Amino acid sequence: MEVNPGMEEALSLILRGCSLARDFESNPLNFRNNINFLARFCDEILGVFSAAKERLSGPQNQWLRTSTSQPMDLPRIQMRPPPFEDSGNLPAMGFGSSSYSSTSTKARRRKDGMAKRTVRVAAPRIGNTELPPDDGFTWRKYGQKEILGSRFPRGYFRCTHQKLYHCPAKKHVQRLDHDPHTFEVAYLGDHTCHMSATAPSAPPPPSTLPEVAGLHMTQYPPPSSGWLSMEYGGPATIRSSKDVGDQFPVLDMVDAMFNSGTGSSNSVDSIFGANVGEEHQHHKWEKDNKKN
DNA sequence: TGAATTTGACCATG
DNA sequence: CATGGTCAAATTCA
């Protein structure tokens, strides 16, 4: 899918703002003794969000309503994402700003006959973009494979507690060749472990989920911890180990500004190195390409 | 030291 | 047979 560039840009900006906020959140003391820096920091956050808002409210925002990048019409993709919708165990959707869309895949059906549902997740340009998106569950990577015709390898994940709870859930994560900022995540099987430790501590509210643009998200109570975190910068198996803790004013500000669950990168150190990711990726993928 | 990730090999499917 | 999917030993990490 092609992500609308305007949307991408706005999302990137928003994510950056969130990242900045998180940076403050995680190291408030760093700013305490440096008023100038703090002021500039605030300016930057405001500027980033303003720019994002500009992009969203400008004439070019038509894509919000008439996005043609999706094979399906928008109302569809404003629905909650397909995976787990009947299990009462919706993914946390670490990044509310992501565009989710479902695609029917003609993937061959394995003999186990697991249903396969795919969603597309827009990755932020910032942060550790080479890690698969988190959906609120904990996954364990069990393989990675170069896919023919794809520049990027596909990662194979299964539920961390597969053994403990015989949870059959799996997912395949692949970065789109033509759009490296988008992951296609294929979910296979449902979680049977949602009452277990696999499930996020604070299950996402069942009703309102972020809509596709992540910008129409009406206020839904974010999980007490890490709602701002995209839970995206951690290892493949994402535990919100470095919990955010209590909300900070900046987060409130961000929340107030956007009323959205837009996530941000989990990796604080990536905040000021927004562009490092790609380099890394290429490095890594070059390596990956050597096999097979 | 246990758990997670990496990675080459093997298996299944079309 | 080519390719996608999984296994499992080796390695890394916390």
Side-chain angles (χ1 to χ4, degrees), chain A residues 83-100:
Chain A
F84 314 118
E85 55 188 359
D86 53 356
S87 66
N89 195 11
L90 293 157
M93 300 256 307
F95 26 156
S97 60
S98 310
S99 347
Y100 273 78

Side-chain angles (χ1 to χ4, degrees), chain A residues 133-135 139 155-158 169-173 185-188:
Chain A
D134 177 37
D135 47 24
W139 300 96
Y156 297 88
F157 300 82
R158 61 176 160 232
K170 291 180 195 169
K171 74 172 179 180
H172 303 167
V173 177
V185 185
Y187 292 91
L188 298 94

